Amino acid sequence: MTTEQFVLELEKIGAIKFGSFTLKSGLQSPFYFDLRDMISYPEILDGVAELLAERIKDMDFDVLTGIPYTALPIASLVSAKLGKPLIYMRKEEKAYGTGNNVIGKFKKGDKCLVIDDLITTGASKIETAEGYEKEGVVVEDFVVVIDRSANGTEELAKDGYKLHSLITLDEIVELLSSKNLISEEKVKEVEDFTKSLIKPKIAKEKYINPLTQKLMDKMVEKQSNLVLSLDVTTQTEFFDILDKCGEEIVMLKTHVDILDDYDENFVPKLQKYAKQQNFLIFEDRKFADIGNTVRHQFRNGVYKINDWAEYITVHMVAGELILKGLFEGIENRSAFVLARMSSKGNLLNETYTRKCFEAAKKNPQWVAGFIGHGKDVEDIKRFKKKFPGSELLMMPGVKLERGSDAMGQQYITVEEAVGGGADCIIVGRGVIKATDPAKEAKIYRERAWQAYKKRIKK
Ligand code: 5BU
């Protein structure tokens, strides 16, 4: 089967349609491609597999994959034709950090060629590549049956991937028009539509959140990127440890609601320490409800967190308007959005993380940074590369040695965290449970600051 014959077959079985279609994004498109039903036509499926095999046979790869569902049966045929092993990624992605997302045999460092049916913007391809990279599989090339994108090649190239396609939208339009299968007006409509999809390039965000700046300034002033998580349950213990460690830290993280003896003296005393020892205050409240509720949780109630914590943590699970609920009408308060968590089996997956970035991009005035974690330096680097602006990466789950606790917390080392991209490390038990918290805080501070200086020098 030639590419031309293949396209004509697709048109015959209704996999290529011209008309007016509403896309997932709400846009009206003058054409629609849907290759899912190709599996009901074995000759067509075999034909396209043959064309793809021919196209990729001289490329350099160890394994190949198809993105489920549509491209997986195609890829398995190609795999058989070329004698190259197949792997695939579960569609229902396992939660971050749990592993075993790839089915099939592969070695770390194997190069995987990724087959897909279509490319529209390239976003999901990049997500797929990142999924594989997290499992130690290297992705460099994508081969799609139809390139229907306006600038997919450029989009993938930005992240270092190469796009190959069997056939492009333009070629399909040209072929069908030469066979009088579509009208001249339609051809024009398609052209106009694809042109309208190319977004003007926006200059890189210059905006820097004032509280991002404030924290960065404080880090430099204090020569520390250590955030102490003072997770104790009595005020005596709290201020006792603070006496010993306050000078070492850039910021203090509280869970005010775990204090058994919280009273009206707590906040004024904390503020006095913050002033004397020159640190910022961050309440790790992890707001997650609807806008109206979090507004009250932040501003009212016993703790009146807004009165004393400049930084708070926020989950994006309820949607980005939570930020409006929290911060609208008040100044000098900002969130660290939980883009990834350190706990084993947590449910924040890549898509969720990306949504957190999108929310932050839209609300830069309210987001100072992200809370995140990673399994190693490379993983953290990949994660941080996607930050939309100049947000800081705050990282809990850090100790001097790797490890875990009995309730799901996972620790990487100070050097891994900071080397990968953490701007601040958040340390709780590593310091507060040490026999000598003062000495331990010094060690964490020195190691984290060394690693930070080393990273930014590069
Ligand atoms: P640890 O004692 O160093 O394990 O304490 C870590 C702190 O950071 C603790 O207060 C957690 O509530 C907090 N934390 C975390 O460990 N992991 C996360 O993903 C987030 C917060 Br978000």
Side-chain angles (χ1 to χ4, degrees):
M1 193 181 281
T2 62
T3 315
E4 217 173 83
Q5 284 164 339
F6 170 65
V7 172
L8 294 174
E9 288 298 324
L10 286 185
E11 203 269 338
K12 251 192 244 159
I13 65 169
I16 298 183
K17 286 196 180 87
F18 290 86
S20 184
F21 306 90
T22 309
L23 301 180
K24 239 193 286 171
S25 57
L27 282 180
Q28 282 297 117
S29 166
F31 59 89
Y32 189 71
F33 299 150
D34 184 350
L35 306 194
R36 279 175 296 192
D37 280 351
M38 228 163 51
I39 48 171
S40 307
Y41 305 87
E43 327 76 65
I44 305 183
L45 194 67
D46 188 58
V48 73
E50 196 64 52
L51 290 169
L52 286 166
E54 185 56 32
R55 182 73 204 260
I56 67 177
K57 67 178 195 306
D58 298 323
M59 289 187 193
D60 175 27
F61 60 98
D62 305 295
V63 290
L64 62 84
T65 190
I67 303 181
Y69 296 105
T70 311
L72 191 51
I74 307 176
S76 71
L77 274 181
V78 178
S79 149
K81 284 180 193 291
L82 293 179
K84 286 275 192 183
L86 182 77
I87 58 173
Y88 72 91
M89 178 79 74
R90 289 170 198 284
K91 191 157 164 70
E92 54 298 333
E93 187 186 337
K94 277 198 167 180
Y96 160 70
T98 55
N100 289 335
N101 286 313
V102 179
I103 316 293
K105 303 260 183 254
F106 66 95
K107 295 189 301 302
K108 295 254 167 224
D110 269 358
K111 239 188 237 175
C112 178
L113 181 130
V114 182
I115 296 180
D116 207 359
D117 52 343
L118 301 170
I119 177 162
T120 306
T121 63
S124 74
K125 305 287 175 291
I126 291 167
E127 220 175 285
T128 299
E130 286 170 353
Y132 277 108
E133 281 159 3
K134 241 166 66 179
E135 309 284 337
V137 178
V138 179
V139 174
E140 288 173 359
D141 295 278
F142 286 90
V143 185
V144 296
V145 178
I146 300 176
D147 177 0
R148 54 158 290 174
S149 69
N151 56 349
T153 303
E154 292 77 16
E155 286 302 312
L156 291 192
K158 271 191 216 159
D159 281 54
Y161 305 110
K162 210 162 164 200
L163 178 69
H164 313 263
S165 62
L166 268 193
I167 187 144
T168 64
L169 171 66
D170 289 347
E171 289 163 345
I172 293 176
V173 169
E174 202 183 309
L175 173 67
L176 296 183
S177 136
S178 75
K179 305 265 178 211
N180 289 325
L181 289 163
I182 50 169
S183 65
E184 280 307 306
E185 296 92 77
K186 203 77 224 171
V187 174
K188 173 94 180 55
E189 245 180 78
V190 173
E191 266 171 22
D192 292 346
F193 176 76
T194 33
K195 268 191 216 140
S196 74
L197 291 182
I198 304 179
K199 294 196 198 90
K201 289 201 171 39
I202 302 164
K204 187 143 175 66
E205 190 74 76
K206 283 257 168 35
Y207 183 87
I208 175 159
N209 177 291
L211 288 189
T212 306
Q213 190 66 56
K214 181 167 182 176
L215 176 50
M216 285 166 69
D217 292 346
K218 187 71 76 187
M219 285 161 63
V220 173
E221 183 192 337
K222 257 194 124 171
Q223 299 279 292
S224 171
N225 56 343
L226 173 63
V227 177
L228 179 66
S229 183
L230 230 180
D231 302 335
V232 292
T233 51
T234 65
Q235 290 200 43
T236 313
E237 275 177 285
F238 189 99
F239 290 109
D240 180 43
I241 296 176
L242 202 48
D243 270 328
K244 297 174 181 148
C245 306
E247 300 290 347
E248 308 297 335
I249 64 175
V250 65
M251 181 151 71
L252 181 74
K253 183 173 89 65
T254 54
H255 282 295
V256 70
D257 56 351
I258 67 173
L259 284 170
D260 289 330
D261 54 359
Y262 175 88
D263 60 20
E264 71 284 358
N265 300 321
F266 176 75
V267 168
K269 194 166 172 187
L270 172 61
Q271 285 171 323
K272 206 168 117 205
Y273 271 80
K275 197 153 181 215
Q276 276 171 2
Q277 297 180 320
N278 193 21
F279 58 75
L280 303 169
I281 302 175
F282 156 27
E283 162 61 30
D284 190 6
R285 171 63 179 74
K286 299 189 179 68
F287 292 96
D289 214 313
I290 59 164
N292 184 58
T293 304
V294 295
R295 176 166 293 200
H296 292 309
Q297 289 172 325
F298 185 34
R299 305 176 189 194
N300 306 107
V302 178
Y303 304 117
K304 298 195 177 27
I305 295 166
N306 171 43
D307 289 352
W308 52 273
E310 284 181 291
Y311 303 82
I312 51 176
T313 36
V314 178
H315 277 294
M316 265 311 134
V317 68
E320 66 175 273
L321 287 175
I322 190 172
L323 294 170
K324 183 175 176 193
L326 286 164
F327 301 121
E328 188 183 46
I330 58 176
E331 284 188 353
N332 301 323
R333 298 289 179 261
S334 244
F336 295 124
V337 170
L338 284 99
R340 277 185 176 189
M341 290 190 72
S342 61
S343 49
K344 192 172 162 67
N346 75 76
L347 305 179
L348 310 193
N349 61 23
E350 296 259 331
T351 310
Y352 183 92
T353 301
R354 192 162 42 81
K355 297 279 183 196
C356 291
F357 294 159
E358 284 168 15
K361 191 172 181 178
K362 283 200 226 155
N363 303 279
Q365 76 281 26
W366 290 330
V367 179
F370 297 102
I371 304 278
H373 201 251
K375 62 179 182 188
D376 52 36
V377 169
E378 289 311 311
D379 185 36
I380 301 166
K381 278 189 186 162
R382 276 197 300 275
F383 165 62
K384 191 161 187 205
K385 209 170 82 185
K386 303 286 166 202
F387 282 20
S390 40
E391 300 84 2
L392 294 174
L393 171 55
M394 314 296 291
M395 190 166 298
V398 176
K399 275 198 171 177
L400 298 178
E401 304 292 334
R402 279 185 158 244
S404 55
D405 73 6
M407 288 182 273
Q409 176 69 304
Q410 306 178 113
Y411 294 107
I412 57 172
T413 67
V414 174
E415 284 74 19
E416 286 173 307
V418 179
D423 296 294
C424 291
I425 55 164
I426 300 175
V427 181
R429 286 163 289 178
V431 168
I432 64 179
K433 294 287 182 204
T435 31
D436 186 347
K439 187 171 147 217
E440 210 67 5
K442 258 197 181 63
I443 296 174
Y444 274 93
R445 177 223 190 126
E446 268 159 29
R447 280 179 51 173
W449 192 246
Q450 281 309 322
Y452 182 70
K453 282 198 296 193
K454 189 169 154 201
R455 190 187 85 217
I456 50 181
K457 248 194 236 146
K458 276 186 189 160

